[in-house]
Amino acid sequence: MVAKDEKVDAASPAQAELKKGPWKPEEDMLLIEYVKKHGERDWNMVRKHSGLARCGKSCRLRWNNHLRPNLRKGPFSPDEEKLICELHSQMGNKWARIAAMLPGRTDNEIKNFWNTRVKRLARKGVPLYPADVQSPRPDLLNPYLHHLDAQNNASSSSLSTSSSSNLQLHPPALLSPTTPTSHPLLFPPSASSQTFQDYDVGLQDSMAMYDAALENFRQQQQQQQMFASAMMNDAPSPQLTSSLQRFKRHRSVPNLTISVPPVRHVALHPFSPLGLSTSSSSPMGRSVSVAGSPTTTTSYMHVASSPHSYASSPTGMVLSPTALQLGISMPQPAMRLPLSSSPVVNCRPTYLPRTSSFSFDPMLFDLNPAAAQVTHMQNPTQTLDAIDNELAFSVEDLGISMDHETTGIPPNQPSYHVNGPQQMQTANCNNAGLLDEFLKEAETISIRGEEKAEFSAEQAEAFLKELESDWEQSRLDCSTSGQASMDKPEAQTVREYQMESSMAEPELNNELSNLLEANPMDHSFWNDGSDGLDLGCNNGTPKSQASQPSDDNDHHHQYYQLNHFIDDHLGMEMHQLTGSVPVGASPTWDNMPGIY
DNA sequence: AAATGCCTCAACCGCCGAAGT
DNA sequence: GACTTCGGCGGTTGAGGCATT
């Protein structure tokens, strides 16, 4: 038998002399010398330049896991272990991403640690995650449940003659994959009394844990019911509610209540009627398809790659827990696209959530009426129904931008289309002023899927009038169909309404500011590292600098002031309303795509 | 002391995406 | 568009050490 460290790969003559197995010190020295000279790249050149009889992959692995500087060896500290648990609860088996959060640790180490842990804890029948770790995504728990099942099977076969406590500890109903996050063996019963160090208790404590966990689970269910109820009836205070309603009325988003999730800008380009910021691709950017019209244009969102944006989310895919609670999602999964397919829309990552969802700010519908579709897959609420009915857009209707010269996108990239103002007419869009600006900036644009046409000022004006007419008609339709509510503005033209709104905003802004200042809130939820950045700013420029319109247009300035205010205050207020998700109630991150 | 089982960890393997041709 | 190469990632393997019986 050939010793492991003498193994060679005889699969092909070209690789016959490649060595496998453990590395020897002299091999390490050769590799270190190579990296000193040539850097951490071209691993397949190691053999050529150093004479080391190892494949490139093996060299890279050896360097990354053992030889590179600043590696930390030895057992994980309690803090590291807890961090791994927390990260794993949110990311799953994304070892490279988890390792990126633990300086000096390798993905291999963490993977080994975790796999060992899963087996050990399953064998003991104790929770996989410490009490103070946020509830993991349900799909992450399947391997652990599998281990538990395997453990149970082993126990039941080996302990068939006794009423084993093991068996009592694992009632089949509680191992159901349909309720993994409430499984008492996935979470210890008490979040207050346990630390990571001491939660890992032995089997003798499991009976008490189980009893306590059942009680805890019942309490959680009650909390969830209360939570859902609060979501339906949320109102921080009559005063604030009234102000918000007034605020939204002036933002011309009728029939919205404050239970709308506090997710903010989808996009922020001040001159785009869709509110989409155009940008050329950045080297680190990730392109995500958010809409694919079956017949015309496919639009992509290009996820900004600024360090700030990724600080809290390496993938840039973070979904607001509130949005998740409300079941807001995209109508179709996002798709992984090659960077070279370039794109198009630069979107703040926070709002390009998980693979199948993205969220939006209804506040911006008047900026961005066609940019989002609300679908409610779970926990439908009256509010969401109202949104859906009012704003029955499809992201498939997305797709407008400026010409290549303006955007900097190469001419060989597809041009953009307005798929028609018919989408806008279903909304009470008062973004005509913005559209006006946009059209003045734009040189070419196509409408209703027609061929690209030069857009003159006259054409823009005609387009605007058409929009106004559509909007007016839709509003009248609402009034005559008995759906008008006190939230509806009085009949007026778009421009008049816009002007009134513009004038009213500072006053409302002040009013809301005063209210919110009087009720300080926990801001930590949104202080996730991605705050402070806007779309259209993928170089890490702070929001306050980046998204200000370049001109001194008062209206736009107010828009931005207001939107920043929403970011900084309203979102947090909404978090106060909805953010206290009970342990085990729902995931906060979900199906984040890996780093591409 | 020998047998057995378990644990750790380094290394390998297959797969995938990006980039180049 | 097809193909190849390269790098990265996650799953798996198996040697070696340790603890238990």
Side-chain angles (χ1 to χ4, degrees):
Chain A
M1 176 181 172
V2 179
K4 184 185 179 184
D5 60 351
E6 297 298 329
K7 279 193 295 186
V8 294
D9 185 356
S12 67
Q15 297 180 331
E17 63 273 34
L18 285 180
K19 193 169 171 232
K20 289 187 176 182
W23 282 62
K24 293 178 178 174
E26 53 267 32
E27 291 179 303
D28 286 343
M29 292 307 298
L30 287 173
L31 184 56
I32 291 170
E33 285 302 311
Y34 171 84
V35 174
K36 278 183 184 174
K37 285 182 183 174
H38 301 93
E40 299 177 40
R41 55 192 175 85
D42 298 334
W43 294 110
N44 282 329
M45 292 292 105
V46 174
R47 192 171 157 213
K48 180 180 176 183
H49 288 130
S50 70
L52 189 55
R54 296 276 184 170
C55 71
K57 277 182 136 182
S58 182
C59 293
R60 186 181 59 83
L61 201 67
R62 183 67 183 173
W63 175 260
N64 283 334
N65 289 348
H66 302 283
L67 302 179
R68 68 181 163 95
N70 303 321
L71 276 178
R72 289 182 66 183
K73 291 293 183 180
F76 289 98
S77 69
D79 284 345
E80 284 178 315
E81 292 186 10
K82 184 180 178 188
L83 181 56
I84 291 170
C85 287
E86 288 173 348
L87 293 171
H88 187 274
S89 75
Q90 306 303 320
M91 297 181 185
N93 295 357
K94 302 297 180 185
W95 309 119
R97 281 167 50 196
I98 294 173
M101 306 290 187
L102 284 88
R105 298 296 188 178
T106 69
D107 53 357
N108 212 32
E109 273 183 293
I110 295 169
K111 180 171 55 182
N112 285 332
F113 162 76
W114 189 260
N115 289 337
T116 300
R117 174 187 170 79
V118 166
K119 289 179 188 172
R120 175 165 44 91
L121 297 188
R123 194 168 49 249
K124 288 182 180 178
V126 297
L128 182 58
Y129 293 95
D132 49 351
V133 169
Q134 202 169 22
S135 50
R137 292 162 34 192
D139 59 300
L140 304 180
L141 301 170
N142 289 336
Y144 181 69
L145 293 175
H146 175 76
H147 276 285
L148 281 175
D149 284 333
Q151 194 66 30
N152 278 343
N153 292 337
S155 301
S156 59
S157 59
S158 62
L159 300 171
S160 56
T161 58
S162 68
S163 58
S164 159
S165 58
N166 257 352
L167 292 176
Q168 295 177 34
L169 280 169
H170 304 290
L174 285 172
L175 288 173
S176 166
T178 60
T179 57
T181 57
S182 57
H183 194 299
L185 293 177
L186 298 174
F187 291 94
S190 168
S192 60
S193 62
Q194 286 184 304
T195 67
F196 177 79
Q197 285 294 295
D198 62 18
Y199 98 93
D200 186 355
V201 297
L203 201 56
Q204 67 276 13
D205 296 328
S206 294
M207 285 299 291
M209 281 177 57
Y210 175 67
D211 291 339
L214 279 182
E215 178 59 29
N216 187 50
F217 178 51
R218 291 191 191 99
Q219 291 177 5
Q220 286 181 13
Q221 283 186 315
Q222 289 177 1
Q223 288 174 8
Q224 289 182 46
Q225 289 169 1
M226 293 171 57
F227 173 74
S229 175
M231 292 291 289
M232 298 288 288
N233 307 308
D234 50 352
S237 72
Q239 202 177 10
L240 185 57
T241 300
S242 170
S243 296
L244 281 165
Q245 286 173 344
R246 286 180 56 201
F247 174 80
K248 286 172 178 171
R249 183 165 65 248
H250 280 277
R251 302 291 290 174
S252 76
V253 183
N255 285 349
L256 293 187
T257 76
I258 58 170
S259 62
V260 167
V263 188
R264 297 147 293 177
H265 314 294
V266 170
L268 297 169
H269 194 287
F271 298 124
S272 163
L274 295 178
L276 299 178
S277 171
T278 53
S279 164
S280 58
S281 174
S282 65
M284 292 294 290
R286 311 297 180 204
S287 297
V288 178
S289 170
V290 297
S293 167
T295 56
T296 55
T297 308
T298 296
S299 301
Y300 303 114
M301 282 202 174
H302 177 73
V303 182
S305 61
S306 78
H308 291 82
S309 299
Y310 282 91
S312 65
S313 167
T315 64
M317 302 290 163
V318 183
L319 182 61
S320 153
T322 309
L324 260 181
Q325 281 290 324
L326 289 176
I328 290 176
S329 68
M330 254 177 60
Q332 63 185 72
M335 294 160 52
R336 295 167 69 155
L337 297 170
L339 287 182
S340 55
S341 68
S342 230
V344 187
V345 186
N346 190 11
C347 181
R348 187 172 173 172
T350 309
Y351 306 115
L352 261 189
R354 56 180 181 176
T355 51
S356 61
S357 300
F358 91 109
S359 38
F360 61 93
D361 181 9
M363 296 278 194
L364 294 183
F365 269 166
D366 47 353
L367 241 187
N368 189 6
Q373 179 187 47
V374 180
T375 59
H376 31 87
M377 304 175 69
Q378 56 183 349
N379 301 330
T381 69
Q382 190 173 358
T383 298
L384 283 173
D385 287 338
I387 298 172
D388 218 13
N389 291 334
E390 287 282 343
L391 305 168
F393 303 114
S394 165
V395 289
E396 292 177 359
D397 298 323
L398 265 176
I400 187 171
S401 181
M402 291 175 280
D403 63 344
H404 301 304
E405 187 175 335
T406 311
T407 61
I409 293 174
N412 59 351
Q413 297 296 333
S415 187
Y416 314 108
H417 305 272
V418 178
N419 287 335
Q422 66 271 22
Q423 288 85 39
M424 295 184 183
Q425 75 184 23
T426 60
N428 57 340
C429 90
N430 72 341
N431 66 335
L434 293 173
L435 182 63
D436 195 357
E437 295 285 348
F438 170 78
L439 292 176
K440 285 176 185 171
E441 293 251 322
E443 291 181 5
T444 62
I445 199 167
S446 65
I447 294 182
R448 295 188 190 281
E450 294 175 9
E451 291 295 314
K452 198 166 58 176
E454 294 298 320
F455 230 83
S456 65
E458 289 75 14
Q459 287 173 304
E461 188 65 26
F463 184 34
L464 290 176
K465 284 184 176 171
E466 185 180 358
L467 283 176
E468 286 185 16
S469 173
D470 288 342
W471 182 77
E472 189 78 11
Q473 186 59 48
S474 67
R475 210 170 40 72
L476 288 174
D477 290 346
C478 284
S479 310
T480 56
S481 66
Q483 294 177 3
S485 74
M486 58 180 299
D487 281 348
K488 298 277 188 185
E490 297 299 320
Q492 56 191 328
T493 68
V494 171
R495 289 180 195 282
E496 287 169 348
Y497 181 71
Q498 188 177 26
M499 187 171 296
E500 181 186 298
S501 298
S502 170
M503 293 170 62
E505 280 163 2
E507 179 188 342
L508 289 168
N509 196 345
N510 288 336
E511 184 178 348
L512 288 168
S513 289
N514 293 336
L515 276 170
L516 294 171
E517 282 173 10
N519 299 282
M521 292 162 283
D522 175 17
H523 294 185
S524 60
F525 180 81
W526 291 112
N527 290 340
D528 57 4
S530 62
D531 271 354
L533 272 190
D534 268 342
L535 288 185
C537 162
N538 62 355
N539 58 359
T541 312
K543 169 169 59 181
S544 57
Q545 301 165 24
S547 59
Q548 292 285 354
S550 56
D551 61 12
D552 289 325
N553 183 298
D554 280 344
H555 178 75
H556 288 149
H557 187 64
Q558 288 165 10
Y559 243 113
Y560 276 85
Q561 279 189 322
L562 205 54
N563 288 329
H564 289 178
F565 170 76
I566 294 167
D567 262 6
D568 295 340
H569 296 280
L570 284 186
M572 296 162 191
E573 175 67 12
M574 303 308 279
H575 164 240
Q576 287 297 106
L577 289 172
T578 61
S580 54
V581 182
V583 171
S586 77
T588 55
W589 297 35
D590 199 342
N591 296 331
M592 291 190 300
I595 301 175
Y596 303 150

